[in-house]
Amino acid sequence: MPNDVRDLPASQDNLYRFLGGTPLAVAFRLILLSILVGVVLAAIGFDPWNILHSIRMLFQRLWDLGFDAVNWLWRYFLLGAVIVIPVWLLTRIFGKR
């Protein structure tokens, strides 16, 4: 095997390797991915013309949502605890030792 000769890669092979495929296929995947990411960003309120304001509003909404989630979680905890704690206490008191 010491006398094996390896072919040098052609210049287009380097381009394909750099891009991760043929240029047309890569462009098609990038376009589809850009549309998908654009839809997701639009769904959470991003505006491509005023991106800084959109980022600030996203963090403001997340902040507000976080406190709303704590309030929501606390209410369900209290509602469930009204049933769970007495049942647990009764099973501990009258359960077998």
Side-chain angles (χ1 to χ4, degrees):
M1 300 278 176
N3 294 333
D4 285 347
V5 177
R6 296 181 58 157
D7 293 332
L8 293 175
S11 63
Q12 281 201 316
D13 288 343
N14 288 335
L15 178 66
Y16 291 156
R17 191 172 27 181
F18 174 74
L19 293 177
T22 64
L24 188 60
V26 171
F28 183 72
R29 284 187 300 198
L30 288 175
I31 289 169
L32 286 179
L33 187 61
S34 295
I35 291 171
L36 178 67
V37 169
V39 168
V40 170
L41 290 176
I44 61 174
F46 272 75
D47 179 19
W49 307 118
N50 196 355
I51 194 78
L52 293 178
H53 176 71
S54 297
I55 292 171
R56 187 183 67 74
M57 289 303 297
L58 173 67
F59 283 114
Q60 181 67 38
R61 286 188 202 125
L62 287 175
W63 179 267
D64 294 341
L65 179 67
F67 285 114
D68 287 342
V70 169
N71 184 27
W72 169 82
L73 188 64
W74 178 249
R75 290 175 53 118
Y76 281 118
F77 166 74
L78 290 177
L79 184 62
V82 168
I83 302 297
V84 171
I85 301 299
V87 168
W88 173 78
L89 189 58
L90 289 173
T91 58
R92 299 305 291 170
I93 291 172
F94 295 114
K96 292 183 180 180
R97 296 192 184 252

